[in-house]
Amino acid sequence: ALLIGNGSQGINPDFILVRYAKQCCIAVEDAEEIVDICHDEAQKWWSRSTTADGCLMEELQDDFYAVIGDDPRSIARLEAEAKKDSVNTEACVFKCKTSGPAVTSRRCIAADDKTYTLSCNVSPILSFRHGRNMVLNGIDDPRVTLV
């Protein structure tokens, strides 16, 4: 799809069937409300997950491969540790700027030259893939607390 707002291009709009776009899209007014709700919930989650000075809560640091900010040494150290994790073989590092997760929507332009909202996204967010030496089941996935 031709993505709006991020500068990258994909499929020519003439190849996106209007019927399919209409069937799969999120209505504009719903998408705006979903983005607002996601923003509020992401901010609440972020305030529960960080200290007043912007650091990740200690228990989250103990349980997850996570770094706030962009210090290359911290990121490299955690990436090396995650790569050696023999329990969570999908382990990777949660990297977030100090302001918390961003809420965005993904849109495309279809053959009728109208814009359709495809998804509403919160990113980055902690998930089972960031678990330190553990495999989390669905209910223990940190994303569940955001939903």
Side-chain angles (χ1 to χ4, degrees), residues 3-135:
L3 300 179
I4 309 297
N6 70 356
S8 66
Q9 293 188 352
I11 300 169
N12 182 320
D14 291 334
F15 295 114
I16 299 176
L17 297 174
V18 174
R19 183 182 80 240
Y20 181 77
K22 285 181 179 179
Q23 186 178 15
C24 297
C25 76
I26 301 168
V28 173
E29 57 278 356
D30 291 342
E32 290 170 1
E33 189 171 343
I34 291 168
V35 166
D36 289 343
I37 291 168
C38 286
H39 182 267
D40 292 346
E41 292 302 315
Q43 290 305 313
K44 288 177 195 173
W45 174 80
W46 188 248
S47 67
R48 289 190 311 266
S49 301
T50 56
T51 60
D53 59 352
C55 295
L56 201 61
M57 293 286 199
E58 193 170 324
E59 59 269 16
L60 292 177
Q61 291 181 37
D62 292 342
D63 291 342
F64 296 94
Y65 298 110
V67 64
I68 295 177
D70 56 2
D71 177 43
R73 283 186 274 177
S74 295
I75 293 169
R77 179 183 56 77
L78 279 177
E79 286 176 340
E81 190 178 331
K83 190 174 185 177
K84 294 177 185 175
D85 192 322
S86 61
V87 177
N88 183 358
T89 57
E90 295 183 55
C92 62
V93 176
F94 169 80
K95 302 173 209 159
C96 195
K97 299 187 184 320
T98 55
S99 60
V103 178
T104 59
S105 61
R106 189 173 191 185
R107 300 174 287 160
C108 75
I109 298 173
D112 61 357
D113 287 327
K114 290 184 181 176
T115 300
Y116 295 90
T117 302
L118 306 172
S119 66
C120 300
N121 309 296
V122 178
S123 180
I125 195 81
L126 275 175
S127 80
F128 70 95
R129 286 191 173 87
H130 304 114
R132 188 187 295 262
N133 296 308
M134 63 179 153
V135 176

